[in-house]
mmCIF file of all heavy atoms in Angstrom:
data_model
loop_
_atom_site.group_PDB
_atom_site.id
_atom_site.type_symbol
_atom_site.label_atom_id
_atom_site.label_comp_id
_atom_site.label_asym_id
_atom_site.label_seq_id
_atom_site.Cartn_x
_atom_site.Cartn_y
_atom_site.Cartn_z
ATOM 1 N N LEU A 154 24.121 -41.604 -18.591
ATOM 2 C CA LEU A 154 22.812 -41.055 -18.937
ATOM 3 C C LEU A 154 22.688 -40.801 -20.438
ATOM 4 O O LEU A 154 21.629 -41.045 -21.034
ATOM 5 C CB LEU A 154 22.583 -39.748 -18.168
ATOM 6 C CG LEU A 154 21.188 -39.117 -18.240
ATOM 7 C CD1 LEU A 154 20.136 -40.070 -17.665
ATOM 8 C CD2 LEU A 154 21.169 -37.795 -17.479
ATOM 9 N N LEU A 155 23.778 -40.317 -21.040
ATOM 10 C CA LEU A 155 23.760 -40.025 -22.479
ATOM 11 C C LEU A 155 24.147 -41.229 -23.335
ATOM 12 O O LEU A 155 24.139 -41.140 -24.561
ATOM 13 C CB LEU A 155 24.719 -38.864 -22.781
ATOM 14 C CG LEU A 155 24.357 -37.506 -22.168
ATOM 15 C CD1 LEU A 155 25.473 -36.499 -22.416
ATOM 16 C CD2 LEU A 155 23.039 -36.982 -22.721
ATOM 17 N N GLU A 156 24.494 -42.336 -22.660
ATOM 18 C CA GLU A 156 24.915 -43.562 -23.351
ATOM 19 C C GLU A 156 26.086 -43.298 -24.294
ATOM 20 O O GLU A 156 26.185 -43.867 -25.382
ATOM 21 C CB GLU A 156 23.732 -44.187 -24.108
ATOM 22 C CG GLU A 156 22.590 -44.598 -23.188
ATOM 23 C CD GLU A 156 21.417 -45.194 -23.942
ATOM 24 O OE1 GLU A 156 21.395 -45.074 -25.187
ATOM 25 O OE2 GLU A 156 20.539 -45.771 -23.295
ATOM 26 N N GLY A 157 26.963 -42.386 -23.863
ATOM 27 C CA GLY A 157 28.172 -42.102 -24.628
ATOM 28 C C GLY A 157 27.963 -41.288 -25.886
ATOM 29 O O GLY A 157 28.896 -41.102 -26.665
ATOM 30 N N GLN A 158 26.745 -40.765 -26.101
ATOM 31 C CA GLN A 158 26.450 -40.011 -27.325
ATOM 32 C C GLN A 158 25.938 -38.613 -26.993
ATOM 33 O O GLN A 158 25.479 -38.355 -25.873
ATOM 34 C CB GLN A 158 25.399 -40.749 -28.153
ATOM 35 C CG GLN A 158 25.815 -42.153 -28.589
ATOM 36 C CD GLN A 158 24.714 -42.871 -29.342
ATOM 37 O OE1 GLN A 158 23.583 -42.400 -29.386
ATOM 38 N NE2 GLN A 158 25.050 -44.010 -29.941
ATOM 39 N N SER A 159 26.030 -37.730 -27.962
ATOM 40 C CA SER A 159 25.458 -36.388 -27.808
ATOM 41 C C SER A 159 23.951 -36.448 -28.030
ATOM 42 O O SER A 159 23.476 -37.195 -28.889
ATOM 43 C CB SER A 159 26.095 -35.416 -28.807
ATOM 44 O OG SER A 159 27.479 -35.293 -28.568
ATOM 45 N N VAL A 160 23.214 -35.638 -27.247
ATOM 46 C CA VAL A 160 21.753 -35.578 -27.362
ATOM 47 C C VAL A 160 21.348 -34.142 -27.676
ATOM 48 O O VAL A 160 21.707 -33.214 -26.951
ATOM 49 C CB VAL A 160 21.067 -36.067 -26.074
ATOM 50 C CG1 VAL A 160 19.546 -35.887 -26.178
ATOM 51 C CG2 VAL A 160 21.412 -37.528 -25.805
ATOM 52 N N GLY A 161 20.590 -33.958 -28.738
ATOM 53 C CA GLY A 161 20.138 -32.640 -29.149
ATOM 54 C C GLY A 161 19.550 -32.750 -30.552
ATOM 55 O O GLY A 161 19.422 -33.851 -31.092
ATOM 56 N N PRO A 162 19.170 -31.650 -31.161
ATOM 57 C CA PRO A 162 19.174 -30.289 -30.621
ATOM 58 C C PRO A 162 17.958 -30.028 -29.731
ATOM 59 O O PRO A 162 17.000 -30.793 -29.726
ATOM 60 C CB PRO A 162 19.130 -29.430 -31.883
ATOM 61 C CG PRO A 162 18.344 -30.271 -32.855
ATOM 62 C CD PRO A 162 18.718 -31.697 -32.568
ATOM 63 N N PHE A 163 18.019 -28.902 -29.013
ATOM 64 C CA PHE A 163 16.921 -28.492 -28.151
ATOM 65 C C PHE A 163 15.902 -27.678 -28.941
ATOM 66 O O PHE A 163 16.239 -27.074 -29.971
ATOM 67 C CB PHE A 163 17.442 -27.625 -27.005
ATOM 68 C CG PHE A 163 18.224 -28.382 -25.966
ATOM 69 C CD1 PHE A 163 19.608 -28.380 -25.975
ATOM 70 C CD2 PHE A 163 17.569 -29.097 -24.970
ATOM 71 C CE1 PHE A 163 20.328 -29.066 -25.019
ATOM 72 C CE2 PHE A 163 18.281 -29.786 -24.005
ATOM 73 C CZ PHE A 163 19.669 -29.773 -24.034
ATOM 74 N N PRO A 164 14.660 -27.626 -28.464
ATOM 75 C CA PRO A 164 13.680 -26.719 -29.080
ATOM 76 C C PRO A 164 14.120 -25.259 -28.930
ATOM 77 O O PRO A 164 14.885 -24.928 -28.018
ATOM 78 C CB PRO A 164 12.390 -26.988 -28.283
ATOM 79 C CG PRO A 164 12.618 -28.259 -27.571
ATOM 80 C CD PRO A 164 14.078 -28.405 -27.359
ATOM 81 N N ARG A 165 13.632 -24.429 -29.801
ATOM 82 C CA ARG A 165 13.994 -23.011 -29.765
ATOM 83 C C ARG A 165 13.634 -22.380 -28.415
ATOM 84 O O ARG A 165 14.362 -21.511 -27.917
ATOM 85 C CB ARG A 165 13.275 -22.276 -30.901
ATOM 86 C CG ARG A 165 13.566 -20.784 -30.970
ATOM 87 C CD ARG A 165 15.036 -20.516 -31.177
ATOM 88 N NE ARG A 165 15.369 -19.107 -30.962
ATOM 89 C CZ ARG A 165 16.600 -18.663 -30.758
ATOM 90 N NH1 ARG A 165 17.608 -19.503 -30.721
ATOM 91 N NH2 ARG A 165 16.837 -17.371 -30.586
ATOM 92 N N GLU A 166 12.545 -22.828 -27.806
ATOM 93 C CA GLU A 166 12.111 -22.263 -26.526
ATOM 94 C C GLU A 166 13.145 -22.511 -25.420
ATOM 95 O O GLU A 166 13.238 -21.736 -24.471
ATOM 96 C CB GLU A 166 10.761 -22.867 -26.102
ATOM 97 C CG GLU A 166 9.594 -22.515 -27.008
ATOM 98 C CD GLU A 166 9.579 -23.330 -28.295
ATOM 99 O OE1 GLU A 166 10.306 -24.360 -28.348
ATOM 100 O OE2 GLU A 166 8.871 -22.948 -29.236
ATOM 101 N N PHE A 167 13.887 -23.595 -25.542
ATOM 102 C CA PHE A 167 14.927 -23.886 -24.550
ATOM 103 C C PHE A 167 16.214 -23.114 -24.878
ATOM 104 O O PHE A 167 16.908 -22.637 -23.977
ATOM 105 C CB PHE A 167 15.224 -25.386 -24.512
ATOM 106 C CG PHE A 167 16.145 -25.794 -23.400
ATOM 107 C CD1 PHE A 167 15.656 -26.086 -22.139
ATOM 108 C CD2 PHE A 167 17.515 -25.902 -23.620
ATOM 109 C CE1 PHE A 167 16.508 -26.464 -21.112
ATOM 110 C CE2 PHE A 167 18.379 -26.278 -22.601
ATOM 111 C CZ PHE A 167 17.865 -26.567 -21.342
ATOM 112 N N GLN A 168 16.511 -22.963 -26.145
ATOM 113 C CA GLN A 168 17.743 -22.278 -26.542
ATOM 114 C C GLN A 168 17.779 -20.813 -26.113
ATOM 115 O O GLN A 168 18.849 -20.258 -25.854
ATOM 116 C CB GLN A 168 17.918 -22.355 -28.057
ATOM 117 C CG GLN A 168 18.137 -23.750 -28.601
ATOM 118 C CD GLN A 168 18.248 -23.747 -30.123
ATOM 119 O OE1 GLN A 168 18.935 -22.904 -30.701
ATOM 120 N NE2 GLN A 168 17.556 -24.673 -30.767
ATOM 121 N N VAL A 169 16.594 -20.181 -26.024
ATOM 122 C CA VAL A 169 16.566 -18.754 -25.691
ATOM 123 C C VAL A 169 17.086 -18.482 -24.287
ATOM 124 O O VAL A 169 17.399 -17.328 -23.947
ATOM 125 C CB VAL A 169 15.135 -18.165 -25.833
ATOM 126 C CG1 VAL A 169 14.663 -18.228 -27.258
ATOM 127 C CG2 VAL A 169 14.151 -18.872 -24.901
ATOM 128 N N ILE A 170 17.189 -19.522 -23.445
ATOM 129 C CA ILE A 170 17.768 -19.340 -22.112
ATOM 130 C C ILE A 170 19.150 -18.717 -22.234
ATOM 131 O O ILE A 170 19.523 -17.827 -21.457
ATOM 132 C CB ILE A 170 17.862 -20.689 -21.374
ATOM 133 C CG1 ILE A 170 16.473 -21.265 -21.123
ATOM 134 C CG2 ILE A 170 18.631 -20.544 -20.057
ATOM 135 C CD1 ILE A 170 16.511 -22.676 -20.558
ATOM 136 N N ALA A 171 19.924 -19.180 -23.215
ATOM 137 C CA ALA A 171 21.304 -18.714 -23.363
ATOM 138 C C ALA A 171 21.522 -17.832 -24.576
ATOM 139 O O ALA A 171 22.375 -16.939 -24.550
ATOM 140 C CB ALA A 171 22.247 -19.918 -23.439
ATOM 141 N N THR A 172 20.786 -18.057 -25.653
ATOM 142 C CA THR A 172 21.064 -17.337 -26.903
ATOM 143 C C THR A 172 20.020 -16.279 -27.239
ATOM 144 O O THR A 172 20.161 -15.584 -28.253
ATOM 145 C CB THR A 172 21.158 -18.332 -28.077
ATOM 146 O OG1 THR A 172 19.919 -19.044 -28.185
ATOM 147 C CG2 THR A 172 22.283 -19.330 -27.849
ATOM 148 N N GLY A 173 18.979 -16.160 -26.407
ATOM 149 C CA GLY A 173 17.946 -15.170 -26.675
ATOM 150 C C GLY A 173 18.341 -13.782 -26.196
ATOM 151 O O GLY A 173 19.310 -13.596 -25.451
#
Side-chain angles (χ1 to χ4, degrees):
L154 188 61
L155 295 173
E156 298 179 348
Q158 300 177 350
S159 298
V160 175
F163 288 99
R165 180 60 192 163
E166 294 78 15
F167 188 87
Q168 295 178 45
V169 296
I170 296 173
T172 59

